[in-house]
Amino acid sequence: RADAAGFSSLGTIDRLVYSNYEPLIALAAAAAVTERIRLLTDILIAPLHSNTALLAKQVATIDSLSEGRMVLGMAVGGRPDDYAAGQVELGRRGRIFDEQLQALTSVWAGERGIGPAPFRGSRPQLLIGGTQPRSFARVARYADGWTSGGGGPEAFAATVPAVRKAWSDAGRDGSPRTVALAYFGLGDTA
């Protein structure tokens, strides 16, 4: 219904201690029954996905099967209950994420013999979330842009200048893509 209604993206959230579907499995299912709409994780809590090579393969698979419609939005997340359930040390999440971004880049560049290749060759579309200066530096180094992941229009508008400054300071051309999360209900009871 979202594809037919003209929405630009169909997104998932990533939580362990919540009754949502697992985001990559849900997007793989959506890829099979849609033709146009982008498939977005907003956000995938990257440090909870401890096998980075497998994560790279899963994302590249969805990207390839959907003919480049995969948009990987990732961040560290901040909910202690998810980290406790995932048995990942909350205080290490930033370091883990930095290591993952380097490894994902290497896998998608074909440097580790792991396939399939992303649909467009180099990597799927990548957005990074977060509201701290370190997050903006990650956006500038690794991503196509930034996702707010929530917080409302005022918080979004207040943060975009810092994202653009980090982008410019890193010598990136153009402007980063900026994405805001919004919830919609489609269906008979929406």
Side-chain angles (χ1 to χ4, degrees):
R1 289 180 178 169
D3 200 29
F7 284 85
S8 67
S9 309
L10 177 64
T12 60
I13 62 170
D14 189 15
R15 293 282 319 273
L16 285 180
V17 185
Y18 191 70
S19 63
N20 60 296
Y21 289 123
E22 196 287 326
L24 296 175
I25 292 172
L27 291 180
V33 296
T34 59
E35 296 177 3
R36 178 198 58 76
I37 199 165
R38 288 188 196 111
L39 308 166
L40 169 67
T41 58
D42 199 1
I43 53 89
L44 186 90
I45 306 170
L48 296 181
H49 297 263
S50 60
N51 186 330
T52 305
L54 177 59
L55 174 61
K57 184 177 189 77
Q58 291 169 323
V59 171
T61 298
I62 296 170
D63 188 60
S64 182
L65 291 173
S66 69
E67 298 182 335
R69 294 185 289 135
M70 180 69 197
V71 180
L72 180 62
M74 297 190 305
V76 297
R79 296 180 184 265
D81 55 345
D82 286 333
Y83 276 88
Q87 299 180 338
V88 176
E89 187 181 332
L90 182 68
R92 293 196 63 242
R93 68 189 191 272
R95 288 181 296 250
I96 293 169
F97 190 36
D98 288 334
E99 292 168 5
Q100 287 179 298
L101 287 167
Q102 291 175 6
L104 290 167
T105 300
S106 174
V107 169
W108 291 329
E111 297 170 0
R112 298 180 52 190
I114 299 169
F119 184 75
R120 290 185 175 77
S122 62
R123 65 168 165 72
Q125 295 177 60
L126 179 60
L127 303 173
I128 294 177
T131 58
Q132 301 300 314
R134 183 70 192 124
S135 301
F136 309 148
R138 290 179 182 118
V139 169
R141 181 169 182 190
Y142 293 104
D144 299 304
W146 173 76
T147 179
S148 70
E154 295 82 13
F156 180 86
T159 306
V160 167
V163 173
R164 288 182 176 152
K165 182 177 182 336
W167 188 270
S168 176
D169 289 350
R172 298 282 303 264
D173 291 332
S175 294
R177 179 177 177 202
T178 54
V179 173
L181 174 67
Y183 294 99
F184 290 89
L186 299 173
D188 297 337
T189 61

